Amino acid sequence: MPRKEKLFVGINKDLEEITVPIPDADPKPWDGKDELKYIGKKVPRIDGTYKTTGRAKYTFDIKVPGMIYGKIIRSPYPAAMVTKIDSSQAEKLPGVRSIIRVKDELPFPVRFAGQEVVALAADTEHLAQEAADLVKIEYDQKPFVVDLDEAMKENAPLVFDPKDEEKDKVKNVRDARIYPKDGKSEEIDAVLNSSDHKIEATYRTQVQTHCPMETHGVVAKWNDEKLTIWASTQGTFMVRNQVADHFNIPKSDIRVITKFMGGGFGSKLKADTYTMLAVKLAREAKKPVRLMLSRKEDHLSTGNRPNSLQTVTVGATKEGKITGIKLKSFGTAGIGRGAGTGGPARFIYDAEKIYTEESDVYTNAGPSAPFRAPGHPQGAFAFEQTIDDMAYKIGMDPLEFRIKNSESDKVRQAEYKIGAEKFGWLKRNPKPGAEKGVIKTGAGLANSLWYYIYSPGSHVSLRVNDDGSVQLRSGVQDIGGGIVTPMAMIIAEELCLKPTDIKITIGDTEFGLAPTSGGSQTTAGLTPAVRNAAYSAKQRLLKIAAGLMEVDMKEVKLSDGGTFSTIDSKKQMIWKEVTAEIPEGQFSVTGERMEDYYETKRWKISGVQFAEVKVDTETGSIKVKRMVAIHDCGRPMDRLTIESQINGGIIQGISFAFYENRILDRNTGVMVNPNLEQYKIAGARDVPPIESHIIDLNLGQSSTGAIGVGEPATIPTAAAIANAVYHAIGVRIREMPMTPSVVLKALNKV
Amino acid sequence: MKNFEYAVPDSIDKTFEYLKSSKAILKAGGIDLLDMMKEQLISPDRLVNIRELEELKFLKEDTNGAFLIGPGQTLSELAEDQTINKSYKALAQAAGGVASVQIRNSATLGGNLCQRPRCWYFRSADFHCSRKGGDTCFALDGENQYHAIFDNTDGCAIVHPSATAVALIALNAKLIISNGEKDREVSIEEFFVTPANDIERENILNKNEMIITIIIPADIKDYLSYYHKQKEKQTFDWPLADVAVALRMEGDRCQDARIVLGSAAPVPFRSKSAEQALVNQNINKDTAIKAAEAALIKAEPLTLNEYKVPLFKTIIYRTICHTVGIDPMN
Ligand SMILES: Cc1cc2nc3c(=O)[nH]c(=O)nc-3n(C[C@H](O)[C@H](O)[C@H](O)COP(=O)(O)OP(=O)(O)OC[C@H]3O[C@@H](n4cnc5c(N)ncnc54)[C@H](O)[C@@H]3O)c2cc1C
Ligand code: SF4
């Protein structure tokens, strides 16, 4: 029977009391009145020194006895039939252990330059390369298309052959996903056309590749029918499940290990072809196979953020109320899907009429993969600039216009207020392009929008030993956000210890089911399980202490330093005295992440960022002078790792805004910049001072109340910068990356 | 990468001996060379490492007042040297603006002058272009945003990558090139080879030759110089456009001008028209702008690099102003 708990919920200190049913075994959720020792404070990563001293072992570092090296041979052509594969020369090389084809039957099609054709494994990396050079593959080249606009043309080469593909692949432009529903397009047009003001503009964004520091890869090892995979993944369980499905083996026969991983940003969710190839090579070669991709292979084949061509239309009354929003977007996810950009247009503002229509366009390019808030940064770039445009058109301050049109979102309202004050919004000259001189400064803002996502079912196990040590195990991988530190903080909080006292072991599917790090759900999905486990452990210890002190369990409390005492403090025992008496030397408890205790109605995550920029109108170069970011993520766990997420999100946003661009040669379909020199990424000197403010949003929906922040932090950055650029120069930059070339064109200097 | 021999000569003489092997190549800092090898664009059978050769490391004035630089000096050393900062500022600025600290600490002046082009088609084994013995230039109707706006019609539109060359041409430098038996002295302008002359090479060095000295003539001490690099991003980026200016002034009046554009043409591009526009003029923002405009009159941008024209105009006039200490933003 659930008990009823009174909780104080709300934004910062603006709290109201609600009553929530809580299962008996669970602690009272932390709420807005709980002052905690660690939770919500800044705690340095407990595994930080492992990384800074090189002790952290990534998949890249894994060496197992007998391990050999895998290598993938990829199509050099964007569209072709593979007609012949001759690997006889390679087979003759001593030390080549296995050569496999991606498809057994010839001929088979390849649809992007970089697609896997053959894989082999050999005793050394060098040998694998040598063998790869000896494999002769014949291709029958076919017409291809790599450009979005070209692919949309009537007579464009078809990426998928209608003869042998599923029904929805017969044309390059797939059927649009429509929101809210069919047939509303004319209706919204009518609303927009009859509004006092209407603005319509078209925007373009580029393809961005994920570029995690550690490239993609695995080490696969068979032991009879059992399989172990060390994977650089953000989803240990997803890799396990997909490999199980692919090879038709029980999930329980597969173990996936990810102790440390060097980033993924969404591209390391799936097991992907390279994993399957490594597993197959290992089986054929009867040896463990290491298959780590090169930076070039990462760019070509492991995913990307699709580009976009978006037309946004917004209508408003002269008083500044949005009447309607319409978005029509196209984008290419290569041979994959998922190029929609409509999230921000659909969910940030209170407009009554909203219509979005999003089409994926196939091109002969590597498939996209989810990328830190799929669709949203590019969506925000177009949509939040249109909103800005409308504000100026009506003659309203862009902040005021936003405040007026998102009244239903109380969190956002609080964020505007903090942001305006911290940024000094009112100090700016309301008139765009007003500054004299060649170099002009400007200020702008943009909204973020993401979703509260978690999957119930995660569980962790916590062991307390008679030497006083506390160990927690979870299958979760740390994508880099630093999840182990909040886990340790939560246990320390509950058991009145220090975070560094807790030993946490993660990244192994032999441990409890854990969230995939996608959708910003790791903290929201895992921390309640951790707290629930710690709470159970605490009950066990209180009981043991009560027995030792010969009082009723209700009479015992646990306080700082792990001290057990009676309520009247007459009797006291320290942590080790109590744990020493644990029967059989140890006990274990588990904690599970259940469904939220109640429906909070807060299904979204807000966030707003402000940017100040300096634009050189003669060189077209833009410098971001500072960013101020205000974000919400439920009840903040570790403010330091949250800040790091915000910093990282903004840096990636700046990099997207100005530099990153996957460039496919228009004439050959081959990527010209598959490295980290010509594929440009922001570096230390491109990063401005970043000030972040994190809202305390207590909802009491789970025992910790945590919600994610990793994706929201990158969504509005490019849009806020673009709005600041407009404010500086009075000209809209409707294309990314905002290079000097693009800016000089917008300024009519080219 | 193919296997290769690694030779470490202890003298210049030894270096030339080692170089005699058919596919031997000099390795200085190795920054450029190793990249080329890793991408399998070249596969030398022997690397002759001159990085530690003391004989190639010197900075000194000869009896005639010319300044001599050893090709083994690193870019960091050039950027920090007091004499260079005082008398040949453009060189210090050019060297100091290259890549990142780590790279500048390894990269040498000799290597910087002899590095291969950065055209992305050239740098990728996926494209067999004219400069690599193929029969197409992929850049001409391809992705040419970083390519040349001058002299780009001879079958290859690279921009020469060396920043120090831009400064050294402005400083009228000379090179002493040796094959171990004979030395020859050439003006650095004559060192670089245009695609019209030979599309597969960027300079006149023969296989067994090496640069052994870089000379800045004595009269350059009478010049003021300045170098500017316009980047897309501030962290180890290549220039979109760069320029070096050297002016001999008498009061406000310009007696002689040397203006060189980098990232503009297949060889560092000396703009005689900009120079002429300055000689015998008082230098101020107006004359600087006129010179900048003159420099670009003959520009012939490709499909995607038109932006370089206004960009060059801007950095040229600003750099002229900076050379004589005028604030171009006023
Ligand atoms: C990210 C990045 C950014 C960069 N940005 C810039 C930039 O903005 N501007 C710029 O100018 N450069 C830039 N560089 C290039 C870098 O400066 C050069 O690669 C470096 O200077 C080469 O010097 P090195 O001593 O390492 O030459 P090496 O790589 O050792 O040699 C290069 C070539 O020169 C030959 N060579 C070396 N010494 C001699 C000699 N004495 N005589 C004859 N031949 C010789 C070698 O045989 C080889 O062919 C950048 C490089 C990177 C990686
Ligand atoms: S510009 Fe020169 S190096 Fe580049 S593709 Fe053309 S020929 Fe090759």
Side-chain angles (χ1 to χ4, degrees), chain A residues 541-561:
Chain A
L541 291 165
L542 287 174
K543 196 164 169 197
I544 294 169
L548 295 170
M549 295 186 211
E550 298 177 328
V551 295
D552 191 88
M553 191 180 147
K554 287 204 188 76
E555 300 285 303
V556 190
K557 62 174 186 185
L558 176 57
S559 47
D560 233 20

mmCIF file of all heavy atoms in Angstrom, chain A residues 541-561:
data_model
loop_
_atom_site.group_PDB
_atom_site.id
_atom_site.type_symbol
_atom_site.label_atom_id
_atom_site.label_comp_id
_atom_site.label_asym_id
_atom_site.label_seq_id
_atom_site.Cartn_x
_atom_site.Cartn_y
_atom_site.Cartn_z
ATOM 1 N N LEU A 541 20.685 -1.168 8.052
ATOM 2 C CA LEU A 541 21.704 -0.774 9.029
ATOM 3 C C LEU A 541 21.077 -0.221 10.302
ATOM 4 O O LEU A 541 21.558 -0.480 11.409
ATOM 5 C CB LEU A 541 22.653 0.255 8.396
ATOM 6 C CG LEU A 541 23.550 -0.328 7.301
ATOM 7 C CD1 LEU A 541 24.186 0.793 6.473
ATOM 8 C CD2 LEU A 541 24.641 -1.218 7.912
ATOM 9 N N LEU A 542 19.994 0.530 10.134
ATOM 10 C CA LEU A 542 19.316 1.068 11.327
ATOM 11 C C LEU A 542 18.817 -0.080 12.197
ATOM 12 O O LEU A 542 18.879 -0.043 13.425
ATOM 13 C CB LEU A 542 18.145 1.966 10.911
ATOM 14 C CG LEU A 542 18.523 3.340 10.323
ATOM 15 C CD1 LEU A 542 17.276 4.062 9.812
ATOM 16 C CD2 LEU A 542 19.241 4.209 11.366
ATOM 17 N N LYS A 543 18.348 -1.117 11.504
ATOM 18 C CA LYS A 543 17.821 -2.260 12.235
ATOM 19 C C LYS A 543 18.941 -2.956 13.019
ATOM 20 O O LYS A 543 18.775 -3.289 14.196
ATOM 21 C CB LYS A 543 17.184 -3.233 11.248
ATOM 22 C CG LYS A 543 16.291 -4.242 11.891
ATOM 23 C CD LYS A 543 15.406 -4.900 10.848
ATOM 24 C CE LYS A 543 14.701 -6.096 11.469
ATOM 25 N NZ LYS A 543 14.175 -6.988 10.448
ATOM 26 N N ILE A 544 20.074 -3.124 12.328
ATOM 27 C CA ILE A 544 21.215 -3.752 13.005
ATOM 28 C C ILE A 544 21.649 -2.893 14.204
ATOM 29 O O ILE A 544 21.845 -3.380 15.321
ATOM 30 C CB ILE A 544 22.393 -3.954 12.029
ATOM 31 C CG1 ILE A 544 21.996 -4.966 10.947
ATOM 32 C CG2 ILE A 544 23.650 -4.420 12.765
ATOM 33 C CD1 ILE A 544 22.964 -5.070 9.783
ATOM 34 N N ALA A 545 21.718 -1.574 13.962
ATOM 35 C CA ALA A 545 22.136 -0.664 15.036
ATOM 36 C C ALA A 545 21.159 -0.714 16.200
ATOM 37 O O ALA A 545 21.565 -0.754 17.372
ATOM 38 C CB ALA A 545 22.264 0.754 14.491
ATOM 39 N N ALA A 546 19.868 -0.749 15.851
ATOM 40 C CA ALA A 546 18.860 -0.793 16.910
ATOM 41 C C ALA A 546 19.050 -2.035 17.770
ATOM 42 O O ALA A 546 18.989 -1.977 19.005
ATOM 43 C CB ALA A 546 17.456 -0.760 16.289
ATOM 44 N N GLY A 547 19.296 -3.160 17.093
ATOM 45 C CA GLY A 547 19.537 -4.399 17.828
ATOM 46 C C GLY A 547 20.738 -4.270 18.749
ATOM 47 O O GLY A 547 20.692 -4.663 19.921
ATOM 48 N N LEU A 548 21.795 -3.653 18.217
ATOM 49 C CA LEU A 548 23.007 -3.511 19.022
ATOM 50 C C LEU A 548 22.796 -2.571 20.202
ATOM 51 O O LEU A 548 23.319 -2.786 21.297
ATOM 52 C CB LEU A 548 24.157 -2.999 18.154
ATOM 53 C CG LEU A 548 24.612 -3.956 17.034
ATOM 54 C CD1 LEU A 548 25.589 -3.254 16.080
ATOM 55 C CD2 LEU A 548 25.261 -5.212 17.633
ATOM 56 N N MET A 549 22.014 -1.538 19.964
ATOM 57 C CA MET A 549 21.793 -0.563 21.048
ATOM 58 C C MET A 549 20.627 -0.961 21.930
ATOM 59 O O MET A 549 20.301 -0.273 22.884
ATOM 60 C CB MET A 549 21.516 0.810 20.448
ATOM 61 C CG MET A 549 22.684 1.391 19.681
ATOM 62 S SD MET A 549 22.275 3.086 19.191
ATOM 63 C CE MET A 549 23.163 3.238 17.698
ATOM 64 N N GLU A 550 19.978 -2.015 21.503
ATOM 65 C CA GLU A 550 18.840 -2.543 22.252
ATOM 66 C C GLU A 550 17.731 -1.511 22.390
ATOM 67 O O GLU A 550 17.232 -1.256 23.476
ATOM 68 C CB GLU A 550 19.305 -3.068 23.611
ATOM 69 C CG GLU A 550 20.290 -4.219 23.451
ATOM 70 C CD GLU A 550 20.844 -4.722 24.759
ATOM 71 O OE1 GLU A 550 20.984 -3.891 25.680
ATOM 72 O OE2 GLU A 550 21.142 -5.920 24.857
ATOM 73 N N VAL A 551 17.418 -0.886 21.286
ATOM 74 C CA VAL A 551 16.261 0.027 21.275
ATOM 75 C C VAL A 551 15.420 -0.311 20.058
ATOM 76 O O VAL A 551 15.832 -1.087 19.197
ATOM 77 C CB VAL A 551 16.681 1.512 21.196
ATOM 78 C CG1 VAL A 551 17.436 1.937 22.445
ATOM 79 C CG2 VAL A 551 17.521 1.770 19.944
ATOM 80 N N ASP A 552 14.272 0.287 20.014
ATOM 81 C CA ASP A 552 13.422 0.099 18.844
ATOM 82 C C ASP A 552 14.049 0.808 17.641
ATOM 83 O O ASP A 552 14.684 1.846 17.795
ATOM 84 C CB ASP A 552 12.039 0.702 19.145
ATOM 85 C CG ASP A 552 11.054 0.305 18.080
ATOM 86 O OD1 ASP A 552 10.427 -0.769 18.235
ATOM 87 O OD2 ASP A 552 10.940 1.047 17.061
ATOM 88 N N MET A 553 13.857 0.224 16.445
ATOM 89 C CA MET A 553 14.459 0.808 15.254
ATOM 90 C C MET A 553 14.060 2.267 15.061
ATOM 91 O O MET A 553 14.830 3.082 14.578
ATOM 92 C CB MET A 553 14.034 -0.030 14.053
ATOM 93 C CG MET A 553 14.799 0.317 12.799
ATOM 94 S SD MET A 553 14.235 -0.715 11.442
ATOM 95 C CE MET A 553 14.422 0.402 10.092
ATOM 96 N N LYS A 554 12.853 2.588 15.438
ATOM 97 C CA LYS A 554 12.372 3.972 15.281
ATOM 98 C C LYS A 554 13.167 4.951 16.134
ATOM 99 O O LYS A 554 13.149 6.152 15.902
ATOM 100 C CB LYS A 554 10.888 4.049 15.679
ATOM 101 C CG LYS A 554 9.964 3.417 14.678
ATOM 102 C CD LYS A 554 8.555 4.032 14.798
ATOM 103 C CE LYS A 554 7.555 3.292 13.935
ATOM 104 N NZ LYS A 554 7.127 1.979 14.490
ATOM 105 N N GLU A 555 13.846 4.406 17.126
ATOM 106 C CA GLU A 555 14.609 5.254 18.045
ATOM 107 C C GLU A 555 16.002 5.598 17.517
ATOM 108 O O GLU A 555 16.734 6.345 18.147
ATOM 109 C CB GLU A 555 14.804 4.526 19.390
ATOM 110 C CG GLU A 555 13.528 4.172 20.102
ATOM 111 C CD GLU A 555 12.915 5.404 20.732
ATOM 112 O OE1 GLU A 555 13.593 6.055 21.543
ATOM 113 O OE2 GLU A 555 11.771 5.740 20.362
ATOM 114 N N VAL A 556 16.370 4.961 16.395
ATOM 115 C CA VAL A 556 17.748 5.139 15.927
ATOM 116 C C VAL A 556 17.796 6.061 14.721
ATOM 117 O O VAL A 556 16.932 5.992 13.854
ATOM 118 C CB VAL A 556 18.366 3.780 15.528
ATOM 119 C CG1 VAL A 556 19.865 3.937 15.270
ATOM 120 C CG2 VAL A 556 18.130 2.751 16.613
ATOM 121 N N LYS A 557 18.798 6.908 14.724
ATOM 122 C CA LYS A 557 18.988 7.721 13.521
ATOM 123 C C LYS A 557 20.446 7.630 13.058
ATOM 124 O O LYS A 557 21.343 7.270 13.815
ATOM 125 C CB LYS A 557 18.590 9.174 13.777
ATOM 126 C CG LYS A 557 19.436 9.833 14.832
ATOM 127 C CD LYS A 557 19.101 11.311 14.954
ATOM 128 C CE LYS A 557 20.124 11.913 15.929
ATOM 129 N NZ LYS A 557 19.943 13.264 16.272
ATOM 130 N N LEU A 558 20.617 7.955 11.798
ATOM 131 C CA LEU A 558 21.952 7.944 11.202
ATOM 132 C C LEU A 558 22.290 9.386 10.892
ATOM 133 O O LEU A 558 21.488 10.083 10.270
ATOM 134 C CB LEU A 558 21.921 7.096 9.923
ATOM 135 C CG LEU A 558 23.199 7.016 9.082
ATOM 136 C CD1 LEU A 558 24.377 6.495 9.899
ATOM 137 C CD2 LEU A 558 22.970 6.109 7.871
ATOM 138 N N SER A 559 23.425 9.856 11.346
ATOM 139 C CA SER A 559 23.783 11.238 11.027
ATOM 140 C C SER A 559 25.215 11.347 10.540
ATOM 141 O O SER A 559 25.899 10.333 10.374
ATOM 142 C CB SER A 559 23.502 12.156 12.225
ATOM 143 O OG SER A 559 24.008 11.574 13.405
ATOM 144 N N ASP A 560 25.603 12.573 10.314
ATOM 145 C CA ASP A 560 26.869 12.865 9.647
ATOM 146 C C ASP A 560 28.046 12.036 10.110
ATOM 147 O O ASP A 560 28.194 11.760 11.292
ATOM 148 C CB ASP A 560 27.193 14.351 9.863
ATOM 149 C CG ASP A 560 27.458 14.995 8.533
ATOM 150 O OD1 ASP A 560 27.020 14.409 7.511
ATOM 151 O OD2 ASP A 560 28.097 16.060 8.507
ATOM 152 N N GLY A 561 28.855 11.670 9.163
ATOM 153 C CA GLY A 561 30.025 10.868 9.496
ATOM 154 C C GLY A 561 29.663 9.399 9.671
ATOM 155 O O GLY A 561 30.469 8.597 10.120
#
